[in-house]
Amino acid sequence: MFKPLRHTLKSVLLASLSGVIYVTPVAAQQAPSQQEDPSLKIYRATSTKVHDLVHTKLDVRFDYAKRYLIGKAWLTLKPHFYQTDSLILDAKAMDIKQVAIVKSGKNLPLKYKYDSLQLHIALDKAYQKTESFIVYIDYVARPEDVKSEGSSAITDAKGLYFINPDSSVKNKPVQIWTQGETESSSAWFPTIDRTAQKSTEEISITVDKKYVTLSNGKLVSQKNNADGTRTDYWKMDLPHSPYLFMMAVGDFAVIKDQWKGKEVNYYVEKAYAPYAKAIFGNTPEMLTFYSNILGYEYPWAKYSQVVVRDYVSGAMENTTATIHGDFLQKTDRELLDNNNYNEAVIAHELFHHWFGDLVTAESWSNLTLNESFADYSEYLWMAYKYGKDAADDHSYKAMQSYEKFAQYSGDKDLVRFHYRDKEDMFDAISYQKGGRILNMLRNVVGDSAFFKSLNLYLKTNAFKAAEAHQLRLAFEEVSGQDLNWFFNQWYFGQGYPVLDIKSSYNEAAKTVTVTVAQQQQGNKIFQLPVAIDVYAGGKKVRHKVTITDKVSTFTLPAEVKPDLVNFDGDKVLLATKTEDKNINAYIFQYSHAPEYLDRREAIEACLKEQSTNPAALKVVAAALKDKFYGLRALAISGLKLTDPTVKAATFTTLQELAKKDENATVRAAALTQLGSLKDVKLTSIFEAAAKDPSYAAAGAALESLGALDLEKGYTLAKQMEKDSKGALSNAIAGIYAQKGNEADLPFFARAFNEASGQDKLDAAIQYLSILSLVDNTDEVLKGVEDIKQMALLFNNKMVNNYLVSLLQPIARNKEEKAAMASPDKKTGLLKQSDYMKKVASELKN
């Protein structure tokens, strides 16, 4: 499962994609007291295996009007070890029509009890572990009646979702899709809904002939029925866990690809068929890359990816058939601004097919074995395809996301056996922190041992469930090292080091002394293998040391005073650092230390002194042409163009970047900075850039032009409105909001209605900005009602609170406006105010 990284407040609040929710701050790295919630005292043991689920056969069709699945299930099971004469199956909110044992092709009724969550079945006899049996269940699944709650990563847990089943929403497709993680597959078929179970699978799906279906494994056959329906038969010959079973039904375009003779298909809405290869086209190369680095070839029969509407998570790695939220569907113009974000999602879900699908975490406590690896796979792909700078930039932002989470929500163990709810495991610890821990482990053992250890782990545990100790044992067998210290510290412990680093040079002794003090709260002392690079006399000498104490001191040889002492030369530590470097060290660091974080640190330090230190300004000017676009954009965004010296040193380069840089993010940043000057001489640059194919660059140009000349910006916005998304849509909305014309309301309504996921919250905020200005009561009430319905769909307290914080002052402003309005307008304004207060109250409660 993928939880996209976002760094704005609005995006953080929107849990349907981000999964990282910030709540009332607690002391950094301190987990909330277990006394606050009794459930945190419960040890979450791996579920006892009474039976092994061997094979699952399903036959399903749908009642769209009632949102029901009409199903038949044949489950092949056997006792795991001990003799047993009863069976418990998970089955949420179902009508159970019949339960039987299959003997000689006949269904012999069995006695059972059903409590709406589990089916307790009395078998026809006591079975030994060597005996398998088949249970038949005739049932109706009623997903709308499922009471399970979602999480920050999975906002709903109905298991089975009917999208626009009555076609009541114009321009919205009719779809059906499933979401099994964590334990929601049992909302659409009876099963033992536990990660440690592994079952082969076959499913017959009957749908209207116009629809396409997708499920796990291979499509074996299709049969047209007399009633205008078609039955598709899918078969999965390799075992996988029930939460990975899936279906998707809809009017999809199927774009075919292949890898080593296996089908690699992309299912998208027909409007996006021309862009499917641009979105997904690197999938075959990813399959080769991951198969090669792991030494374990992709094991499954096919790989398909489908994009669906109203998805309750970012994406989900259902075996051989990944589901993506519709944020992944982008046109060529949108992909120009994507900076490979889509590929991070695609890489994440594909890597799960080794870590999660092939070898599965035996319990949610061990979720790191699934999600930390998938998170780290994003780094691996970025480094391979786009270079180490791109990967390190991605990793740096992931670390920031985790540290913010720890600051506001409290830190926890990576492997944790105490949690309020299994859904709570899907957080920045299991994802972003875990990915950074794997990067440190790779640095500790070395690349060769790291990937050989992963290969051993996969081969040893293939088609089984595993826990974190099995990962440790694989690394220990390959490396020959005892790694308990690493796993106890990072996997079975919480927190991260906060380091204060000081260095000094002794001229007489020809030595450098480096002192590292651990300043994190609590008593935990981290053991940290680290490289210290000493740059002196035109050479770099690396010293590998290990920090083991609260304060560690290292004395290193240096014939001359170093130009730079670079702590954590590989820039892999998950830590926060303060160093006593002066600006001259940072100036040297930018051009001599090679890593992304080396250069980033130097740019940030020099930006602080750009107005006062000519040498620092020279570094900033050089950074405008850094080889990595992210650092060029960082330098651009930090410029103080109000300083004449800074402007003189950077103005020409900024214009060149705005016109010609290969990366849209850089062009947009340059246009925004130039716009801050409000110089009419730049009008022609903005007008030309408004035609940029990138929405980000065009939006920045339009916003800058509007700041110079609102009327000219407004006229241009009208011309650009028809093809506007992302930053361009935001810029148009900003100009329209300044104008405050009621005639522009349809633009905001359309942008809001067409948006999904995180973009919908952005569009809602823009919508409110114009609704706050216009007096048309009907339009205002309709807009606020639509935003309320969005909030109900998100079902997230933080989103609600954020919307309340916007609605309340708008309501007050409407009230104040009413006090000074004519009688005919006063009534309408008060009605608007009252309705906003009512909606705010509903969302708050």
Side-chain angles (χ1 to χ4, degrees), residues 333-638:
R333 285 193 73 181
E334 290 176 284
L335 288 170
L336 291 174
D337 302 328
N338 193 248
N339 290 326
N340 310 315
Y341 179 75
N342 273 16
E343 289 198 22
V345 182
I346 293 166
H348 181 115
E349 301 308 328
L350 176 56
F351 206 69
H352 266 309
H353 281 70
W354 287 267
F355 293 88
D357 297 5
L358 178 64
V359 183
T360 307
E362 71 170 23
S363 69
W364 301 116
S365 294
N366 287 276
L367 184 63
T368 178
L369 296 179
N370 295 8
E371 295 301 349
S372 300
F373 277 101
D375 181 275
Y376 189 52
S377 75
E378 301 164 32
Y379 179 93
L380 295 173
W381 172 254
M382 291 287 185
Y384 160 79
K385 186 66 175 176
Y386 301 107
K388 193 170 184 298
D389 282 347
D392 286 345
D393 176 69
H394 192 75
S395 183
Y396 171 75
K397 290 170 182 173
M399 185 170 73
Q400 282 188 313
S401 180
Y402 156 67
E403 289 179 353
K404 288 177 183 177
F405 177 90
Q407 177 186 355
Y408 285 92
S409 297
D411 207 357
K412 306 171 185 69
D413 295 353
L414 185 58
V415 179
R416 69 198 91 132
F417 297 95
H418 297 87
Y419 49 74
R420 182 189 64 81
D421 188 278
K422 59 188 181 298
E423 310 295 339
D424 296 341
M425 290 297 300
F426 294 80
D427 59 15
I429 297 167
S430 295
Y431 285 74
Q432 286 85 23
K433 183 180 185 181
R436 310 293 70 70
I437 288 170
L438 285 170
N439 199 37
M440 287 190 292
L441 181 57
R442 178 182 176 183
N443 189 261
V444 167
V445 301
D447 274 16
S448 179
F450 181 79
F451 289 109
K452 284 181 180 178
S453 299
L454 298 189
N455 174 266
L456 178 61
Y457 168 79
L458 291 172
K459 286 182 175 178
T460 304
N461 301 290
F463 305 106
K464 300 176 186 176
E467 57 180 307
H469 288 296
Q470 285 157 304
L471 180 67
R472 173 180 59 81
L473 291 171
F475 270 86
E476 290 184 341
E477 182 172 338
V478 169
S479 70
Q481 301 177 40
D482 185 326
L483 292 168
N484 273 293
W485 69 269
F486 186 93
F487 278 78
N488 288 340
Q489 176 172 284
W490 290 113
Y491 279 78
F492 300 100
Q494 62 179 267
Y496 57 89
V498 177
L499 306 177
D500 182 70
I501 302 129
K502 291 182 170 60
S503 63
S504 60
Y505 183 65
N506 186 319
E507 180 71 42
K510 304 295 185 185
T511 57
V512 175
T513 300
V514 180
T515 303
V516 184
Q518 299 195 39
Q519 298 181 335
Q520 62 272 8
Q521 293 185 13
N523 298 320
K524 183 172 182 177
I525 304 298
F526 285 85
Q527 179 176 333
L528 303 171
V530 68
I532 302 176
D533 293 336
V534 177
Y535 293 77
K539 296 186 297 183
K540 180 185 84 170
V541 178
R542 169 158 291 191
H543 303 274
K544 293 185 177 181
V545 302
T546 300
I547 297 165
T548 56
D549 300 314
K550 184 80 171 176
V551 178
S552 298
T553 301
F554 306 98
T555 302
L556 312 172
E559 286 301 314
V560 296
K561 185 176 181 180
D563 297 296
L564 173 67
V565 177
N566 194 17
F567 179 82
D568 186 20
D570 290 321
K571 294 296 180 284
V572 294
L573 284 186
L574 174 58
T576 58
K577 300 178 295 183
T578 55
E579 300 185 64
D580 65 346
K581 293 179 188 175
N582 61 35
I583 192 62
N584 291 327
Y586 282 115
I587 290 168
F588 180 90
Q589 179 172 313
Y590 179 75
S591 55
H592 292 84
E595 302 296 343
Y596 160 87
L597 275 176
D598 291 321
R599 302 191 329 269
R600 185 184 184 99
E601 289 172 0
I603 292 168
E604 289 173 338
C606 289
L607 281 170
K608 293 176 183 176
E609 299 197 19
Q610 61 183 296
S611 299
T612 57
N613 187 320
L617 179 56
K618 189 175 180 180
V619 169
V620 170
L624 296 178
K625 298 181 180 181
D626 192 277
K627 64 178 181 175
F628 179 57
Y629 72 84
L631 294 180
R632 296 199 297 276
L634 174 70
I636 292 167
S637 299

Side-chain angles (χ1 to χ4, degrees), residues 1-3 16-17 153-155 179 311-315 324-325 327:
M1 178 171 294
F2 184 84
K3 301 185 312 166
S16 65
L17 291 184
I154 313 163
T155 60
Q179 167 57 35
Y311 195 48
V312 294
S313 181
H324 295 284
F327 68 92

Side-chain angles (χ1 to χ4, degrees), residues 84-98:
T84 179
D85 61 0
S86 62
L87 171 66
I88 299 175
L89 297 175
D90 298 295
K92 299 182 178 75
M94 295 181 182
D95 289 329
I96 305 298
K97 305 295 186 182
Q98 183 185 4

